PDB file of all heavy atoms in Angstrom:
ATOM      1  N   ARG J 734      -6.913  16.548   1.535  1.00  0.00           N
ATOM      2  CA  ARG J 734      -5.708  17.035   1.040  1.00  0.00           C
ATOM      3  C   ARG J 734      -4.519  15.979   1.022  1.00  0.00           C
ATOM      4  O   ARG J 734      -3.949  15.683   0.013  1.00  0.00           O
ATOM      5  CB  ARG J 734      -5.269  18.209   1.978  1.00  0.00           C
ATOM      6  CG  ARG J 734      -4.003  18.894   1.487  1.00  0.00           C
ATOM      7  CD  ARG J 734      -3.759  20.224   2.037  1.00  0.00           C
ATOM      8  NE  ARG J 734      -2.449  20.759   1.734  1.00  0.00           N
ATOM      9  CZ  ARG J 734      -2.111  22.039   1.902  1.00  0.00           C
ATOM     10  NH1 ARG J 734      -2.942  22.859   2.503  1.00  0.00           N
ATOM     11  NH2 ARG J 734      -0.896  22.461   1.571  1.00  0.00           N
ATOM     12  N   HIS J 735      -4.279  15.369   2.134  1.00  0.00           N
ATOM     13  CA  HIS J 735      -3.019  14.489   2.266  1.00  0.00           C
ATOM     14  C   HIS J 735      -3.348  13.162   1.631  1.00  0.00           C
ATOM     15  O   HIS J 735      -2.605  12.651   0.733  1.00  0.00           O
ATOM     16  CB  HIS J 735      -2.671  14.217   3.731  1.00  0.00           C
ATOM     17  CG  HIS J 735      -1.967  15.474   4.212  1.00  0.00           C
ATOM     18  ND1 HIS J 735      -0.725  15.766   4.026  1.00  0.00           N
ATOM     19  CD2 HIS J 735      -2.465  16.586   4.924  1.00  0.00           C
ATOM     20  CE1 HIS J 735      -0.294  16.929   4.585  1.00  0.00           C
ATOM     21  NE2 HIS J 735      -1.379  17.423   5.169  1.00  0.00           N
ATOM     22  N   HIS J 736      -4.524  12.524   1.905  1.00  0.00           N
ATOM     23  CA  HIS J 736      -4.731  11.167   1.294  1.00  0.00           C
ATOM     24  C   HIS J 736      -4.966  11.372  -0.222  1.00  0.00           C
ATOM     25  O   HIS J 736      -4.349  10.642  -0.997  1.00  0.00           O
ATOM     26  CB  HIS J 736      -6.082  10.629   2.006  1.00  0.00           C
ATOM     27  CG  HIS J 736      -6.265   9.258   1.729  1.00  0.00           C
ATOM     28  ND1 HIS J 736      -7.296   8.519   2.337  1.00  0.00           N
ATOM     29  CD2 HIS J 736      -5.680   8.334   0.809  1.00  0.00           C
ATOM     30  CE1 HIS J 736      -7.263   7.207   1.892  1.00  0.00           C
ATOM     31  NE2 HIS J 736      -6.377   7.135   0.884  1.00  0.00           N
ATOM     32  N   ARG J 737      -5.737  12.379  -0.630  1.00  0.00           N
ATOM     33  CA  ARG J 737      -6.008  12.599  -1.998  1.00  0.00           C
ATOM     34  C   ARG J 737      -4.646  12.956  -2.726  1.00  0.00           C
ATOM     35  O   ARG J 737      -4.438  12.501  -3.864  1.00  0.00           O
ATOM     36  CB  ARG J 737      -6.968  13.739  -2.226  1.00  0.00           C
ATOM     37  CG  ARG J 737      -7.332  14.019  -3.640  1.00  0.00           C
ATOM     38  CD  ARG J 737      -8.232  15.182  -3.887  1.00  0.00           C
ATOM     39  NE  ARG J 737      -9.461  15.065  -3.303  1.00  0.00           N
ATOM     40  CZ  ARG J 737     -10.487  14.349  -3.822  1.00  0.00           C
ATOM     41  NH1 ARG J 737     -10.386  13.724  -5.007  1.00  0.00           N
ATOM     42  NH2 ARG J 737     -11.641  14.270  -3.229  1.00  0.00           N
ATOM     43  N   GLY J 738      -3.775  13.653  -2.023  1.00  0.00           N
ATOM     44  CA  GLY J 738      -2.509  14.095  -2.686  1.00  0.00           C
ATOM     45  C   GLY J 738      -1.662  12.789  -3.065  1.00  0.00           C
ATOM     46  O   GLY J 738      -1.006  12.724  -4.069  1.00  0.00           O
ATOM     47  N   HIS J 739      -1.652  11.851  -2.161  1.00  0.00           N
ATOM     48  CA  HIS J 739      -0.929  10.574  -2.466  1.00  0.00           C
ATOM     49  C   HIS J 739      -1.571   9.797  -3.590  1.00  0.00           C
ATOM     50  O   HIS J 739      -0.881   9.167  -4.403  1.00  0.00           O
ATOM     51  CB  HIS J 739      -0.880   9.797  -1.217  1.00  0.00           C
ATOM     52  CG  HIS J 739       0.148  10.334  -0.152  1.00  0.00           C
ATOM     53  ND1 HIS J 739       1.572  10.416  -0.454  1.00  0.00           N
ATOM     54  CD2 HIS J 739      -0.017  10.802   1.098  1.00  0.00           C
ATOM     55  CE1 HIS J 739       2.138  10.913   0.619  1.00  0.00           C
ATOM     56  NE2 HIS J 739       1.293  11.160   1.556  1.00  0.00           N
ATOM     57  N   VAL J 740      -2.900   9.793  -3.659  1.00  0.00           N
ATOM     58  CA  VAL J 740      -3.509   9.100  -4.834  1.00  0.00           C
ATOM     59  C   VAL J 740      -3.162   9.753  -6.123  1.00  0.00           C
ATOM     60  O   VAL J 740      -2.799   9.102  -7.039  1.00  0.00           O
ATOM     61  CB  VAL J 740      -5.095   9.092  -4.550  1.00  0.00           C
ATOM     62  CG1 VAL J 740      -5.803   8.565  -5.793  1.00  0.00           C
ATOM     63  CG2 VAL J 740      -5.504   8.315  -3.336  1.00  0.00           C
ATOM     64  N   ASP J 741      -3.243  11.110  -6.098  1.00  0.00           N
ATOM     65  CA  ASP J 741      -2.956  11.827  -7.313  1.00  0.00           C
ATOM     66  C   ASP J 741      -1.524  11.601  -7.759  1.00  0.00           C
ATOM     67  O   ASP J 741      -1.232  11.432  -8.894  1.00  0.00           O
ATOM     68  CB  ASP J 741      -3.274  13.283  -7.178  1.00  0.00           C
ATOM     69  CG  ASP J 741      -4.728  13.488  -7.029  1.00  0.00           C
ATOM     70  OD1 ASP J 741      -5.561  12.690  -7.348  1.00  0.00           O
ATOM     71  OD2 ASP J 741      -5.163  14.706  -6.577  1.00  0.00           O
ATOM     72  N   SER J 742      -0.586  11.701  -6.739  1.00  0.00           N
ATOM     73  CA  SER J 742       0.889  11.529  -7.067  1.00  0.00           C
ATOM     74  C   SER J 742       1.162  10.127  -7.610  1.00  0.00           C
ATOM     75  O   SER J 742       1.916   9.959  -8.553  1.00  0.00           O
ATOM     76  CB  SER J 742       1.674  11.896  -5.836  1.00  0.00           C
ATOM     77  OG  SER J 742       1.568  13.150  -5.467  1.00  0.00           O
ATOM     78  N   LEU J 743       0.466   9.131  -6.949  1.00  0.00           N
ATOM     79  CA  LEU J 743       0.717   7.797  -7.351  1.00  0.00           C
ATOM     80  C   LEU J 743       0.260   7.599  -8.824  1.00  0.00           C
ATOM     81  O   LEU J 743       0.994   7.025  -9.662  1.00  0.00           O
ATOM     82  CB  LEU J 743      -0.035   6.816  -6.501  1.00  0.00           C
ATOM     83  CG  LEU J 743      -0.054   5.329  -6.859  1.00  0.00           C
ATOM     84  CD1 LEU J 743       1.385   4.841  -6.704  1.00  0.00           C
ATOM     85  CD2 LEU J 743      -0.881   4.488  -5.946  1.00  0.00           C
ATOM     86  N   ASN J 744      -0.941   8.044  -9.171  1.00  0.00           N
ATOM     87  CA  ASN J 744      -1.466   7.892 -10.503  1.00  0.00           C
ATOM     88  C   ASN J 744      -0.485   8.622 -11.563  1.00  0.00           C
ATOM     89  O   ASN J 744      -0.280   8.167 -12.641  1.00  0.00           O
ATOM     90  CB  ASN J 744      -2.924   8.511 -10.561  1.00  0.00           C
ATOM     91  CG  ASN J 744      -3.889   7.590 -10.076  1.00  0.00           C
ATOM     92  OD1 ASN J 744      -3.743   6.397 -10.184  1.00  0.00           O
ATOM     93  ND2 ASN J 744      -4.963   8.112  -9.390  1.00  0.00           N
ATOM     94  N   VAL J 775       6.473   5.619  -1.657  1.00  0.00           N
ATOM     95  CA  VAL J 775       5.898   6.449  -0.567  1.00  0.00           C
ATOM     96  C   VAL J 775       4.390   6.710  -0.860  1.00  0.00           C
ATOM     97  O   VAL J 775       3.609   6.670   0.002  1.00  0.00           O
ATOM     98  CB  VAL J 775       6.673   7.802  -0.552  1.00  0.00           C
ATOM     99  CG1 VAL J 775       6.691   8.564  -1.844  1.00  0.00           C
ATOM    100  CG2 VAL J 775       6.120   8.727   0.578  1.00  0.00           C
ATOM    101  N   HIS J 776       3.954   6.972  -2.106  1.00  0.00           N
ATOM    102  CA  HIS J 776       2.621   7.205  -2.411  1.00  0.00           C
ATOM    103  C   HIS J 776       1.791   5.959  -2.354  1.00  0.00           C
ATOM    104  O   HIS J 776       0.667   5.955  -1.781  1.00  0.00           O
ATOM    105  CB  HIS J 776       2.521   7.889  -3.872  1.00  0.00           C
ATOM    106  CG  HIS J 776       3.343   9.163  -3.844  1.00  0.00           C
ATOM    107  ND1 HIS J 776       3.145  10.249  -3.086  1.00  0.00           N
ATOM    108  CD2 HIS J 776       4.381   9.412  -4.691  1.00  0.00           C
ATOM    109  CE1 HIS J 776       3.914  11.158  -3.402  1.00  0.00           C
ATOM    110  NE2 HIS J 776       4.772  10.707  -4.351  1.00  0.00           N
ATOM    111  N   ALA J 777       2.218   4.844  -2.901  1.00  0.00           N
ATOM    112  CA  ALA J 777       1.469   3.603  -2.880  1.00  0.00           C
ATOM    113  C   ALA J 777       1.238   3.128  -1.385  1.00  0.00           C
ATOM    114  O   ALA J 777       0.121   2.778  -1.022  1.00  0.00           O
ATOM    115  CB  ALA J 777       2.205   2.460  -3.623  1.00  0.00           C
ATOM    116  N   GLN J 779       1.409   5.050   1.360  1.00  0.00           N
ATOM    117  CA  GLN J 779       0.508   5.962   2.068  1.00  0.00           C
ATOM    118  C   GLN J 779      -0.864   5.872   1.664  1.00  0.00           C
ATOM    119  O   GLN J 779      -1.833   6.008   2.549  1.00  0.00           O
ATOM    120  CB  GLN J 779       1.037   7.410   1.791  1.00  0.00           C
ATOM    121  CG  GLN J 779       2.223   7.787   2.684  1.00  0.00           C
ATOM    122  CD  GLN J 779       2.045   7.841   4.111  1.00  0.00           C
ATOM    123  OE1 GLN J 779       1.685   6.854   4.802  1.00  0.00           O
ATOM    124  NE2 GLN J 779       2.107   9.046   4.762  1.00  0.00           N
ATOM    125  N   VAL J 780      -1.216   5.566   0.412  1.00  0.00           N
ATOM    126  CA  VAL J 780      -2.532   5.253   0.060  1.00  0.00           C
ATOM    127  C   VAL J 780      -3.149   4.046   0.776  1.00  0.00           C
ATOM    128  O   VAL J 780      -4.163   4.095   1.318  1.00  0.00           O
ATOM    129  CB  VAL J 780      -2.751   5.103  -1.462  1.00  0.00           C
ATOM    130  CG1 VAL J 780      -4.197   4.694  -1.822  1.00  0.00           C
ATOM    131  CG2 VAL J 780      -2.355   6.371  -2.218  1.00  0.00           C
ATOM    132  N   HIS J 783      -3.593   4.857   4.571  1.00  0.00           N
ATOM    133  CA  HIS J 783      -4.751   5.781   4.914  1.00  0.00           C
ATOM    134  C   HIS J 783      -6.084   5.008   4.666  1.00  0.00           C
ATOM    135  O   HIS J 783      -6.938   5.207   5.441  1.00  0.00           O
ATOM    136  CB  HIS J 783      -4.637   7.093   4.139  1.00  0.00           C
ATOM    137  CG  HIS J 783      -3.607   8.040   4.709  1.00  0.00           C
ATOM    138  ND1 HIS J 783      -2.363   8.063   4.286  1.00  0.00           N
ATOM    139  CD2 HIS J 783      -3.699   8.890   5.693  1.00  0.00           C
ATOM    140  CE1 HIS J 783      -1.614   9.068   4.942  1.00  0.00           C
ATOM    141  NE2 HIS J 783      -2.481   9.525   5.826  1.00  0.00           N
ATOM    142  N   SER J 867       6.485   6.444   5.467  1.00  0.00           N
ATOM    143  CA  SER J 867       5.281   5.800   4.867  1.00  0.00           C
ATOM    144  C   SER J 867       5.220   4.289   4.924  1.00  0.00           C
ATOM    145  O   SER J 867       4.321   3.595   4.387  1.00  0.00           O
ATOM    146  CB  SER J 867       5.212   6.170   3.332  1.00  0.00           C
ATOM    147  OG  SER J 867       6.347   5.731   2.642  1.00  0.00           O
ATOM    148  N   TRP J 884       2.026  11.146  11.719  1.00  0.00           N
ATOM    149  CA  TRP J 884       2.359  12.272  10.877  1.00  0.00           C
ATOM    150  C   TRP J 884       1.794  13.517  11.460  1.00  0.00           C
ATOM    151  O   TRP J 884       0.638  13.516  11.994  1.00  0.00           O
ATOM    152  CB  TRP J 884       2.048  12.250   9.439  1.00  0.00           C
ATOM    153  CG  TRP J 884       2.919  11.240   8.653  1.00  0.00           C
ATOM    154  CD1 TRP J 884       2.969   9.926   8.859  1.00  0.00           C
ATOM    155  CD2 TRP J 884       3.699  11.532   7.593  1.00  0.00           C
ATOM    156  NE1 TRP J 884       3.844   9.386   7.909  1.00  0.00           N
ATOM    157  CE2 TRP J 884       4.222  10.375   7.026  1.00  0.00           C
ATOM    158  CE3 TRP J 884       3.995  12.828   6.859  1.00  0.00           C
ATOM    159  CZ2 TRP J 884       5.184  10.258   6.058  1.00  0.00           C
ATOM    160  CZ3 TRP J 884       4.902  12.666   5.797  1.00  0.00           C
ATOM    161  CH2 TRP J 884       5.420  11.471   5.387  1.00  0.00           C
ATOM    162  N   HIS J 886       0.430  16.045  10.223  1.00  0.00           N
ATOM    163  CA  HIS J 886      -0.883  16.468   9.554  1.00  0.00           C
ATOM    164  C   HIS J 886      -2.080  15.722  10.218  1.00  0.00           C
ATOM    165  O   HIS J 886      -3.229  16.224   9.953  1.00  0.00           O
ATOM    166  CB  HIS J 886      -0.856  16.240   8.059  1.00  0.00           C
ATOM    167  CG  HIS J 886      -0.817  14.738   7.674  1.00  0.00           C
ATOM    168  ND1 HIS J 886       0.329  14.245   6.907  1.00  0.00           N
ATOM    169  CD2 HIS J 886      -1.574  13.695   7.826  1.00  0.00           C
ATOM    170  CE1 HIS J 886       0.078  13.014   6.657  1.00  0.00           C
ATOM    171  NE2 HIS J 886      -1.016  12.574   7.288  1.00  0.00           N
TER     172      HIS J 886
END
Side-chain angles (χ1 to χ4, degrees):
R734 181 162 175 172
H735 287 276
H736 193 171
R737 183 185 296 281
H739 285 296
V740 172
D741 292 345
S742 297
L743 177 63
N744 282 324
V775 58
H776 303 301
Q779 284 292 64
V780 172
H783 284 92
S867 62
W884 284 65
H886 65 239

